[in-house]
Structures are given as C-alpha cells and as structure tokens.
Amino acid sequence: MEEADKSWSEAPVSRRAFVGSAVIGSAIAAAAGVFYPLARYLLPESKSGGGKKETYTVALNEVHVGEARFFTFKRRPALLIRKSDTELVALSAVCTHLGCIVKYHEESKQLLCPCHGAKYDQNGRVLGGPAPKPLTAYNARIEAGTIVVEEA
Amino acid sequence: MDELKLGPITLRNRLVLKGFEILDRRFEIKEILDEEVFTKLAPTHLGIFSCFGGITFFIFLMQIMTGLLLMIYYVPDTQSAHKSVVAITNDIPFGWAVRGLHFWGANLMVLTVMIHMGKIYFGGIYKAPREMNWVTGVALFLLTMGFSFTGYLLPWTQLSYWATVIATEAPGAMPVVGPLTKSLMLGGPDVSQVTLSRFFTLHVMVLPAATFGLLIAHFLQIRRQGISGPM
C-alpha cells in the first residue's frame, strides 16, 4: 500500500492537477467551438469577394479545340469550351431551370441538362426545354499561352 | 495554510473566491444563493417529462441568439429577402449552421412545448392553485405558434408565400370578423411587402417581448407555488 502511494506521489503530474487541466481544456475547446464560428460569421470575408476578383487559369495546350473542360468557379461548377484556336466560351455549368449540372455533347455542340432536358448552345443560349434563361457567362481570354477566366 | 495542500489549483480557487467576495460584499449574493438556489432542491419524484419546460426555455434562448445573428444579414424586403437567406446559407461562413440551428430549434421548440403541455395536462398539474400558470402557459404556446407562422414567411420562398396565403384565407372565412382579420394580418388584399414587413416586426420585436413578459410571470408563479407533488 505504501509503495503504491509512493508511486502516485512521484508522478510528474498530480491527479488533481491532471483532472483540473482536463476540465479547463475541455471548457476552452467548447468555448472555441462556439466563438470561432461566431467570429467567422461576423467578420467580413477575407478569402472570396474581398475586393479581389476570382480567376481561373489553365494552360492553353491543355484544352483541345472542340473540347469542354469543367472546373470550379465561385464555388460552383463551370465549363470552358474551346470553339476554335482562339475562340473561347466560359459558362456556369449550373442549369438555370433547377440547378442540375449540364453536360457537353461534342458532336451536337450542345449543352444538355440530364434532369429535365434543357438544351443550350455553345454560348449558353437556350435552345429548348424548361430553362427560363441562358447560362451565366464568364469572360475567357488568352494571355501568353494561358487561358484566364474571370467574372464578366 | 491549509490551502497550500490543494496544489496548483489553489491560486485559481483563490481568484474565484476573491471575485465572489467582491460581489458578495456589495450585493450580499451569498444570502440570495443560499435562500434561492442551494436550499431549493429539486423534488425526487421528477422524471424526464418534468424537464421539457426547461428544455423549451433553453431552445427559446438558442432561438434568440441565432435569431439575432440571422437578423444581421437578413433583409426584410421582397426583392432581397430570399437572396439574403440564400447568401446566409451558402456564402457566409457558418451561416448554414446558424440558420440550421434556428430552423431545427423552431421545429423542436413546438415539439417540446407540446410534450410539456401533455405532461401538465395528463398529470393534472394545471389544477388549483396552478390554474393561472396553465393560462400563461397556453398564451406562451400560442406565441410559439405565432413565431412559427410569422417566421415561415420570412425566407420569401414559394412554400412560405403560399403557406401564408392559405393560413390567412382560413381566418378570412370566419363570419362577420373574417375579412377584417385577414386584411389586418396581410395589411392589404394579398401577401405583399406590407405583409412581409409586419410579419418581420412581429417575429423579431412584438412576439419576443410578449414571450419574455409571460415567461417572467410563468417562472414567478412556479417559484412561488413550487413544483407540484407526485401524482
């Protein structure tokens, strides 16, 4: 019995101190769990929309003529179509009907929505189906062998 | 010198005691705590269903806090209401969490109020001398319904628009007072900006103020009369 007591008293941290720090640590973690989201919610956004425009860049030779490339722009799916050597179209890939992701059909050069059959041409104009308005267009330009997509 | 044996926590304990002393010397809080908290022990016959009034109050406090946070970004205008709600949900950091808490809190609060009322009703706890507490309780229940009804319109979606159309048509069908009641609720012949504005005012100012007032009465009554004995 005495030996056991001895080993406890020789422990680097007393049980009381350990439990005390564990309680305080949990309390701090719980408080951080409340105050971190609160601070993020109230502070103005610094990442996106903070004056700086979001851009997407891709090397020109990675996108072949007639091909479409899907990418994430403004946290939503978007697509880039290279119509010819220099002609580029960048569009939001979110269908204006109910928000499904449109697919690009290279042969018909049309964008089709798999959900309710909305049809768009290469420039995002509505060809048929339930879509109420054209796809949101972005600016796409070529800068020294790189494609740069920006908000229109 | 006994304190030293407590080890490293003593300093913190001392600070807490010191803080307590500072308050106690000025406000004599020890007396209040002794009388109102430490000597008022919960009766042993209480079960889980006795907790639902307190749970409802806790959810109500959550609704106040998340509601305040939502109000910072919400715009009560027919052109911007839905847009601002979408922005809160999708763009503002943790906005989805704040809105989710408010949404689920609202639904849960109706449920917990119902359970609380069920306990009071089937336990016969509303009987004398607690009749007045039942009356304030029913008024608080109606206020909860009012919160749900007015809050439902605020996101300005198709669902909320038509729900409001239907829910105002019903009182509009009452004999004699129907048309007046309906136009008083809508502020005009149909659901419009005027309706949104008055529902918003009710939801964030009038109903919370009334709820706080009735809650004070509700709590003072139970404080004075005590929790009812076992069934």
Side-chain angles (χ1 to χ4, degrees):
Chain A
M1 210 36 208
E2 249 173 57
E3 271 174 44
D5 279 347
K6 215 173 189 179
S7 71
W8 276 115
S9 60
E10 277 165 11
V13 182
S14 75
R15 185 183 300 196
R16 181 175 284 271
F18 175 78
V19 172
S21 338
V23 168
I24 293 179
S26 315
I28 291 173
V34 171
F35 285 103
Y36 173 72
L38 191 66
R40 286 289 309 279
Y41 183 83
L42 292 174
L43 286 170
E45 277 191 82
S46 48
K47 272 183 196 160
S48 59
K52 215 175 147 192
K53 259 192 178 177
E54 188 180 334
T55 55
Y56 169 78
T57 52
V58 60
L60 185 61
N61 54 23
E62 272 186 49
V63 188
H64 303 291
V65 174
E67 234 181 48
R69 185 190 182 82
F70 281 82
F71 60 99
T72 307
F73 192 67
K74 294 175 79 186
R75 294 198 277 162
R76 298 279 183 280
L79 85 168
L80 181 70
I81 306 167
R82 194 167 172 192
K83 291 205 285 189
S84 71
D85 265 348
T86 52
E87 268 184 293
L88 289 164
V89 183
L91 297 165
S92 161
V94 179
C95 182
T96 53
H97 175 226
L98 283 175
C100 291
I101 313 301
V102 296
K103 301 273 172 292
Y104 183 61
H105 288 249
E106 287 182 22
E107 287 138 53
S108 62
K109 293 185 175 175
Q110 281 177 353
L111 296 159
L112 298 174
C113 180
C115 291
H116 309 96
K119 254 193 226 174
Y120 306 88
D121 72 5
Q122 277 182 315
N123 298 310
R125 279 190 294 260
V126 182
L127 294 176
K133 56 186 176 187
L135 294 169
T136 311
Y138 303 123
N139 264 340
R141 58 195 158 80
I142 301 166
E143 242 175 46
T146 310
I147 300 167
V148 181
V149 178
E150 280 177 340
E151 212 176 327
Chain B
M1 292 309 276
D2 275 355
E3 283 168 81
L4 287 173
K5 282 181 190 164
L6 289 172
I9 304 167
T10 316
L11 177 68
R12 197 184 66 245
N13 281 350
R14 268 205 202 128
L15 285 174
V16 172
L17 280 173
K18 189 77 197 161
F20 180 77
E21 246 177 59
I22 289 170
L23 286 174
D24 190 42
R25 207 173 298 144
R26 285 156 183 81
F27 304 108
E28 291 176 341
I29 49 175
K30 191 172 180 300
E31 206 180 297
I32 302 172
L33 287 177
D34 277 344
E35 269 174 32
E36 301 290 330
V37 182
F38 297 129
T39 54
K40 293 228 173 185
L41 301 176
T44 47
H45 68 270
L46 295 185
I48 187 157
F49 288 106
S50 308
C51 301
F52 276 88
I55 295 171
T56 308
F57 181 58
F58 174 77
I59 297 176
F60 176 67
L61 292 181
M62 287 287 291
Q63 294 301 96
I64 294 286
M65 279 182 258
T66 52
L68 281 172
L69 289 173
L70 288 174
M71 224 192 328
I72 290 170
Y73 290 112
Y74 176 73
V75 184
D77 171 87
T78 53
Q79 297 298 311
S80 334
H82 183 250
K83 241 186 271 171
S84 68
V85 171
V86 170
I88 289 169
T89 317
N90 294 338
D91 299 333
I92 291 155
F94 293 100
W96 56 271
V98 176
R99 187 173 169 226
L101 281 171
H102 201 73
F103 176 86
W104 287 106
N107 284 278
L108 271 178
M109 195 173 147
V110 175
L111 185 72
T112 56
V113 164
M114 297 283 205
I115 296 172
H116 179 53
M117 282 182 96
K119 158 83 185 171
I120 304 298
Y121 182 80
F122 291 112
I125 302 162
Y126 58 85
K127 290 174 187 167
R130 297 187 174 77
E131 313 97 313
M132 285 312 290
N133 222 356
W134 173 260
V135 172
T136 49
V138 170
L140 282 165
F141 166 70
L142 293 177
L143 286 174
T144 308
M145 296 284 101
F147 273 118
S148 300
F149 178 51
T150 52
Y152 204 74
L153 178 69
L154 301 186
W156 203 251
T157 59
Q158 283 288 321
L159 210 57
S160 47
Y161 178 89
W162 290 106
T164 307
V165 169
I166 291 162
T168 49
E169 289 280 338
M174 283 193 294
V176 191
V177 289
L180 184 74
T181 314
K182 190 187 160 193
S183 60
L184 194 67
M185 284 166 98
L186 295 178
D190 43 35
V191 179
S192 64
Q193 174 64 55
V194 188
T195 320
L196 183 64
S197 295
R198 55 180 68 193
F199 272 42
F200 180 70
T201 313
L202 282 170
H203 192 80
V204 305
M205 286 302 304
V206 182
L207 295 177
T211 305
F212 270 121
L214 279 168
L215 277 178
I216 290 168
H218 204 63
F219 293 158
L220 283 178
Q221 280 168 321
I222 192 138
R223 202 75 202 178
R224 185 78 182 147
Q225 297 177 322
I227 293 164
S228 73
M231 271 187 244

